Amino acid sequence: MTSSEEYRRQIMKDLAQGNVESLDTPTGEPATEYETFDDFAQRTTPDQRRQLFGRSFQPNQIPSSQMEPELQKAIAQIKPNERDDVARAFFKHLKQRGLDDKHLEQQLGLSTRHPNRMNADDVSKLASFAYHNHPDIFREVLAEQPGIIKFLSNPVVAGIIGIAAAKWLGSRK
């Protein structure tokens, strides 16, 4: 295991365990820790994750030379049905900005504009486009589809996630 992977795992472990005193679960009971990142993703709301990613994941913080390969690797690792959901979310938000799927298919060189037929490379192109041109949409999709985050491994990316999570979790105490 590379130091990058170890660092990412430690960040995700720290994020998952949280040491949180007063973050409420959906049932209203206080949550004191998360068992896994998936547990964190399931027990937090999109609004909580939106707040967590509010200032993270911006091109001026993580250069494209580091973010794009990370997105490609992460998207390739998520399940096909989750990848479809990620593509649908990007298309939905981009359409609200006046960018239709047919235009995006042509502009980005996608193999298709149908989310259920897109491959990992297509979804990576959509994610990279949003990251560079519409960072707010990129963060929104991450809040809605947090599965991508657990596969990011670059120390810079994991560090920013860790910093954002620490600030968010710290503000919840």
Side-chain angles (χ1 to χ4, degrees):
M1 184 177 332
T2 67
S3 62
S4 220
E5 290 169 343
E6 290 170 11
Y7 183 76
R8 180 191 65 85
R9 284 185 185 202
Q10 185 60 48
I11 292 289
M12 293 304 172
K13 181 179 176 187
D14 292 347
L15 174 59
Q17 292 179 345
N19 297 327
V20 182
E21 293 176 7
S22 65
L23 181 61
D24 292 336
T25 64
T27 62
E29 300 170 11
T32 55
E33 69 177 49
Y34 299 100
E35 294 187 20
T36 63
F37 181 80
D38 290 333
D39 184 35
F40 170 81
Q42 290 173 359
R43 289 174 40 198
T44 54
T45 66
D47 284 338
Q48 290 169 322
R49 291 188 299 270
R50 246 180 239 105
Q51 184 180 7
L52 171 62
F53 305 136
R55 291 202 167 101
S56 301
F57 297 110
Q58 298 205 30
N60 63 346
Q61 291 180 312
I62 306 170
S64 49
S65 63
Q66 292 181 354
M67 185 55 119
E68 287 181 13
E70 287 303 313
L71 285 172
Q72 290 171 341
K73 285 189 283 185
I75 290 169
Q77 292 180 61
I78 61 175
K79 297 174 188 169
N81 62 321
E82 291 174 347
R83 193 170 51 232
D84 298 351
D85 293 342
V86 169
R88 265 186 214 86
F90 277 121
F91 277 133
K92 176 185 118 187
H93 290 287
L94 290 167
K95 186 173 188 170
Q96 291 171 350
R97 293 280 169 88
L99 299 168
D100 67 72
D101 52 357
K102 187 174 184 175
H103 176 76
L104 287 167
E105 177 185 25
Q106 292 171 349
Q107 180 182 351
L108 302 176
L110 305 175
S111 65
T112 181
R113 65 177 181 260
H114 303 285
N116 59 339
R117 293 189 213 146
M118 294 181 96
N119 59 37
D121 187 53
D122 292 330
V123 179
S124 295
K125 288 176 184 177
L126 265 177
S128 291
F129 173 79
Y131 179 73
H132 293 291
N133 299 291
H134 303 279
D136 57 322
I137 290 175
F138 181 81
R139 290 187 305 272
E140 180 66 25
V141 171
L142 286 184
E144 292 174 7
Q145 305 292 329
I148 299 171
I149 297 166
K150 71 180 175 179
F151 294 111
L152 296 175
S153 63
N154 184 295
V156 173
V157 175
I160 287 177
I161 294 168
I163 290 167
K167 285 180 183 176
W168 181 73
L169 293 171
S171 72
R172 306 303 297 169
K173 289 184 178 179

